[in-house]
Amino acid sequence: MAVSDEAFPARKRRPSLGAFVSPNLSDQKLLQSLFVLSQEVSSLQPLRILLKKNSSSIIRKSRLISVLFEELVRNPVNVSPPSAALCYEELYIVLQRMKVLLEDCSTCSRMWLLMQIPSISSSFHHLIIELSTLLDIFPARELNLSEDVDELLNLIKKQCSDTAADSVDAGDENLRAEVLKMLENIKREIVPDHSKLREIFERLNLCDSASCSNEIENLEDEVQNQDDDKSKADVIALIGLVRYAKCVLHGASTPRIATRRQKSAAEANIPADFRCPITLDLMRDPVVVSTGQTYDRSSIVLWIESGHATCPKTGQSLAHTQLIPNLALKNLIAMWCREQRIPFESTEVNVKPNGGAFNKTALEAIKMTVSFLVNKLTASSQTAEVIDRLVYELRVLAKTDSDSRTCIADAGALPLLVKFLASENPSLQINAVTTILNLSILEANKARIMETDGVLNGVIEVLRSGATWEAKGNAAATVFSLTGVHGYRKKLGRKTRVVKALLDLAREGPTNPRRDAMVAILNLAGDREAVAKLVEGGVVDMVGEVMESMVEEAVAVLELVVKRGGLMAISAAYHGDMMKKLTAVLRDGSDRARESAAATLVNMCRKGGSDMVAELAAINGIERVVWEIMGAGTGRARRKAATLLRILRRWAAGLIGEHFSTQHSATALDISTRIVLPA
């Protein structure tokens, strides 16, 4: 068989076996601890699906050992020999390992446990051997054990010595061989026999959609336990098999429409190192720039495409614009998200044909699953409920990895999804637009979405008049994703429908959809033509309305609009009473908000002339606020504050008719280093 035992590496357990130590206690207290620990092992239930014989055997022996230690605790020996203390310590470690092994096997993925049958059976057997060795050297004579206890000890020894070396259950091994054969057939593009597939999954007690979904989650956890891409790809092959079986045997899952996310990142206390310094949001794809700082890819790409040639955090010039993936940090973020139950694309593995991690089995399983779902969608006899479930499965699959997104698009799913965007069923509309959103993450699919008849217009209509806020928010997120491509940003920015719908959603929607709209607007503001449309549509008024509730996003949008929007944007900001609002942000905002507010004020004063500077100077306490930022702000905020102070000083000196050049920005840093804060 082409798939060997070594295809699946040994499962990493937590904690490692070398981490076990016995407690530093007196002999009598150690005996009591042994009694308690042996009772804990004895109380565990034997494994019900796999390794039943191994687990039952080790639990039976633990029960006998528990009785032995109970007798020793009840009838303590005045002086224990040194050999007894050593035996107790080693027995404690063996029992700890038994407990962890049983608990680990009872909670892990069944499919992965099946692949590990030989190695885990061997672990059970070696623990019995260690237990037998310790009992053989147990100083029974020196401890003056009673006749009953001595007989019990001999019984345990006999049971340990009778344990067969070949401890793999024949049924488990046959089932494992059948699964390996099925994986090999999938690799050869042979579709699994559905009756055989059902038989395997029934033997694993994966008998419904819910149990298969839970199994997929357990396998996704297992991906994080693997150190190399090859091992991860092997686990993903199992995920592909389970997902295929779930769809063909039990139908698609019932969509969950109660909430958009299992738990939003905004609701969790995100570690500072996991936040992007630009957006302060959880990083999904952390990358390192030439200065060594890490940012979320989408944020730093937008920063660079907006014309910046410096590192946002340090202000240093970027030697180059190459972005290096920070895989170590991404893995840490993925693990934290899983612990917090926050969705994260943690199972994506680089399984490309030119790389060592390629796993054709995983890819073919994805293709088979997609083909099954798309073929079901094209059938004319499907009910609305079944269609909703099928689209939901595509939505979930499109979220997993790049290969899934490629396969779904290649299978022709986009034209099928178009008609569901206009569905009167809110759940189906949400699932259709979210599937397109997930597909758009892949760069190649962005072109397909823009070019496939009806897809873009369908997304825009959902953005304008979707049945739910969730659908509108995901449509806005799709626009955000598409605007990552410069040409599409220009095209979308020229569409009045898009601009108006985003502005309306930013004004009126709940928190998450509003945030989706704001980041899409921020992307559009990177294009000058789009900024003109945004200003015409009332983006400055919108920013003023949401300033209190979404201050960082609002000020970031205003900064780009003022920078790229020319005099029309400046005029809108001037009449919108933005000076006072921005000054309030300078005084009380977050570091990121203060940076954007200072930069916005600098641009307004430079482009707006003396009237604009005069209005700023008339605001009570403005100079002190600027001084405070120069002393305690971030590097960029200090530079902008120094420039702002220079502008105010020039105005006060009567130099009110000049246009402020970029030279002032270059000298501002020198000023900020010479100024001493007032008392």
Side-chain angles (χ1 to χ4, degrees):
M1 189 179 295
V3 180
S4 65
D5 289 354
E6 288 73 25
F8 293 92
R11 184 171 196 270
K12 292 197 306 181
R13 295 178 182 81
R14 299 171 301 275
S16 64
L17 298 185
F20 297 110
V21 293
S22 61
N24 186 17
L25 301 171
S26 65
D27 290 351
Q28 189 61 28
K29 288 187 176 179
L30 184 55
L31 262 177
Q32 291 173 345
S33 297
L34 277 166
F35 172 55
V36 171
L37 181 57
S38 60
Q39 281 190 315
E40 290 175 356
V41 178
S42 304
S43 66
L44 296 175
Q45 293 297 314
L47 302 176
R48 295 184 300 108
I49 312 299
L50 302 168
L51 297 163
K52 291 184 284 190
K53 184 173 73 173
N54 301 86
S55 59
S56 297
S57 172
I58 211 165
I59 289 173
R60 282 197 305 272
K61 292 172 178 60
S62 298
R63 286 171 182 159
L64 292 174
I65 291 171
S66 176
V67 176
L68 172 65
F69 288 132
E70 184 179 15
E71 289 298 323
L72 291 173
V73 168
R74 286 180 178 175
N75 304 290
V77 178
N78 291 331
V79 180
S80 298
S83 58
L86 182 59
C87 261
Y88 293 158
E89 291 175 359
E90 294 299 320
L91 281 167
Y92 190 93
I93 293 173
V94 170
L95 285 169
Q96 272 189 313
R97 290 167 58 187
M98 286 180 178
K99 180 183 176 185
V100 168
L101 182 58
L102 286 166
E103 290 176 339
D104 200 42
C105 291
S106 66
T107 57
C108 74
S109 153
R110 294 171 199 171
M111 191 64 77
W112 185 246
L113 185 63
L114 180 65
M115 295 298 102
Q116 301 304 307
I117 287 290
S119 63
I120 295 179
S121 295
S122 177
S123 296
F124 276 113
H125 182 64
H126 286 142
L127 283 171
I128 299 276
I129 291 174
E130 289 183 44
L131 180 61
S132 178
T133 302
L134 289 171
L135 294 176
D136 283 340
I137 63 172
F138 192 80
R141 189 171 301 171
E142 289 87 339
L143 291 171
N144 296 318
L145 299 180
S146 67
E147 185 176 340
D148 289 343
V149 175
D150 196 50
E151 286 180 5
L152 178 60
L153 181 61
N154 290 328
L155 175 62
I156 302 171
K157 288 180 184 180
K158 185 176 185 307
Q159 288 196 3
C160 289
S161 61
D162 288 345
T163 302
D166 183 15
S167 56
V168 179
D169 185 276
D172 291 349
E173 186 55 39
N174 289 338
L175 182 59
R176 179 174 180 273
E178 289 175 8
V179 172
L180 288 171
K181 182 179 179 181
M182 186 167 286
L183 290 171
E184 179 62 23
N185 285 340
I186 290 173
K187 182 178 180 180
R188 294 175 179 173
E189 303 180 25
I190 300 172
V191 177
D193 177 77
H194 289 186
S195 61
K196 192 65 180 176
L197 190 66
R198 185 179 298 279
E199 178 188 338
I200 289 172
F201 274 70
E202 284 179 352
R203 288 170 67 182
L204 289 170
N205 201 28
L206 299 172
C207 300
D208 53 33
S209 181
S211 61
C212 288
S213 295
N214 188 59
E215 176 70 4
I216 290 170
E217 288 185 9
N218 287 336
L219 284 167
E220 287 172 346
D221 286 339
E222 204 60 60
V223 173
Q224 300 305 319
N225 293 331
Q226 303 306 316
D227 291 322
D228 59 274
D229 284 351
K230 172 64 171 62
S231 301
K232 293 185 180 199
D234 288 335
V235 185
I236 291 176
L238 293 175
I239 293 175
L241 175 61
V242 176
R243 183 171 279 121
Y244 176 75
K246 171 177 174 281
C247 290
V248 301
L249 298 180
H250 309 303
S253 302
T254 302
R256 292 170 293 182
I257 60 173
T259 58
R260 178 179 175 184
R261 302 174 176 89
Q262 291 168 295
K263 180 180 179 181
S264 75
E267 294 169 340
N269 184 18
I270 303 173
D273 291 340
F274 293 174
R275 290 180 180 270
C276 174
I278 297 175
T279 64
L280 299 182
D281 289 332
L282 180 70
M283 287 188 279
R284 302 284 175 171
D285 187 10
V287 293
V288 181
V289 298
S290 63
T291 60
Q293 299 296 323
T294 296
Y295 302 93
D296 203 20
R297 184 185 295 275
S298 60
S299 302
I300 192 64
V301 166
L302 177 59
W303 172 267
I304 293 170
E305 287 182 352
S306 298
H308 298 92
T310 57
C311 173
K313 193 170 183 180
T314 65
Q316 295 173 271
S317 295
L318 295 175
H320 56 78
T321 57
Q322 182 180 0
L323 305 177
I324 302 170
N326 192 335
L327 297 179
L329 180 58
K330 184 173 183 178
N331 287 336
L332 288 173
I333 294 173
M335 292 174 67
W336 177 82
C337 283
R338 191 160 301 284
E339 290 172 1
Q340 300 293 321
R341 310 304 296 168
I342 295 172
F344 187 86
E345 292 179 37
S346 57
T347 61
E348 186 160 358
V349 177
N350 183 23
V351 286
K352 302 304 174 190
N354 59 351
F358 177 66
N359 188 309
K360 192 171 188 294
T361 306
L363 183 59
E364 292 304 323
I366 293 169
K367 287 181 179 179
M368 290 176 186
T369 305
V370 170
S371 176
F372 174 83
L373 293 170
V374 171
N375 287 339
K376 284 286 186 182
L377 274 178
T378 58
S380 58
S381 59
Q382 303 292 1
T383 65
E385 182 183 359
V386 170
I387 290 173
D388 190 22
R389 292 183 176 187
L390 291 168
V391 175
Y392 176 75
E393 285 298 332
L394 286 175
R395 166 185 174 174
V396 172
L397 193 57
K399 189 176 180 179
T400 56
D401 55 41
S402 297
D403 288 325
S404 298
R405 295 178 194 115
T406 300
C407 291
I408 292 171
D410 288 346
L414 278 170
L416 297 175
L417 292 170
V418 171
K419 58 185 176 183
F420 305 134
L421 292 173
S423 172
E424 294 181 359
N425 180 340
S427 175
L428 180 55
Q429 186 182 72
I430 290 169
N431 288 322
V433 74
T434 310
T435 303
I436 294 171
L437 165 61
N438 292 338
L439 291 174
S440 74
I441 297 170
L442 186 68
E443 288 301 306
N445 284 345
K446 287 180 170 62
R448 284 172 158 165
I449 290 169
M450 295 294 291
E451 294 165 7
T452 301
D453 250 3
V455 177
L456 181 60
N457 281 334
V459 171
I460 294 171
E461 284 307 306
V462 174
L463 177 62
R464 294 178 64 218
S465 55
T468 63
W469 289 118
E470 181 177 352
K472 290 183 176 183
N474 286 354
T478 305
V479 171
F480 167 75
S481 177
L482 295 173
T483 54
V485 177
H486 182 70
Y488 302 154
R489 184 188 310 162
K490 293 182 75 69
K491 182 176 180 178
L492 288 164
R494 287 196 292 264
K495 292 183 179 290
T496 304
R497 291 184 304 155
V498 173
V499 170
K500 183 178 185 305
L502 288 174
L503 292 174
D504 289 344
L505 182 58
R507 284 189 180 99
E508 302 165 5
T511 301
N512 286 331
R514 288 171 72 193
R515 184 169 284 112
D516 289 325
M518 290 296 283
V519 295
I521 291 168
L522 188 63
N523 252 14
L524 288 177
D527 178 72
R528 291 189 185 278
E529 290 182 35
V531 168
K533 284 281 187 183
L534 287 168
V535 174
E536 287 176 14
V539 67
V540 175
D541 290 338
M542 180 276 293
V543 165
E545 292 172 25
V546 305
M547 184 81 80
E548 287 188 12
S549 58
M550 303 184 72
V551 59
E552 291 183 356
E553 294 87 347
V555 180
V557 167
L558 187 62
E559 178 188 355
L560 266 182
V561 167
V562 167
K563 180 178 179 180
R564 295 182 176 273
L567 292 177
M568 186 168 65
I570 298 295
S571 174
Y574 178 77
H575 292 294
D577 201 24
M578 280 296 170
M579 285 287 187
K580 291 181 180 178
K581 293 177 180 177
L582 290 171
T583 303
V585 174
L586 285 182
R587 186 181 295 111
D588 303 317
S590 65
D591 285 345
R592 181 197 171 208
R594 294 168 90 185
E595 284 183 12
S596 294
T600 305
L601 287 170
V602 167
N603 280 321
M604 289 176 69
C605 289
R606 280 179 171 168
K607 297 177 181 179
S610 59
D611 290 343
M612 195 75 71
V613 183
E615 181 176 338
L616 179 63
I619 295 174
N620 188 36
I622 181 62
E623 274 207 34
R624 184 169 187 85
V625 172
V626 173
W627 279 101
E628 288 173 357
I629 293 176
M630 289 172 62
T634 63
R636 180 172 181 248
R638 288 198 300 270
R639 290 193 298 276
K640 295 298 181 182
T643 303
L644 200 56
L645 184 62
R646 181 175 178 82
I647 291 172
L648 290 169
R649 292 289 172 85
R650 286 173 62 82
W651 174 83
L655 304 174
I656 58 173
E658 298 182 8
H659 290 287
F660 298 104
S661 69
T662 54
Q663 179 185 356
H664 300 145
S665 179
T667 59
L669 185 59
D670 295 332
I671 296 172
S672 66
T673 57
R674 294 196 303 267
I675 292 175
V676 179
L677 284 175

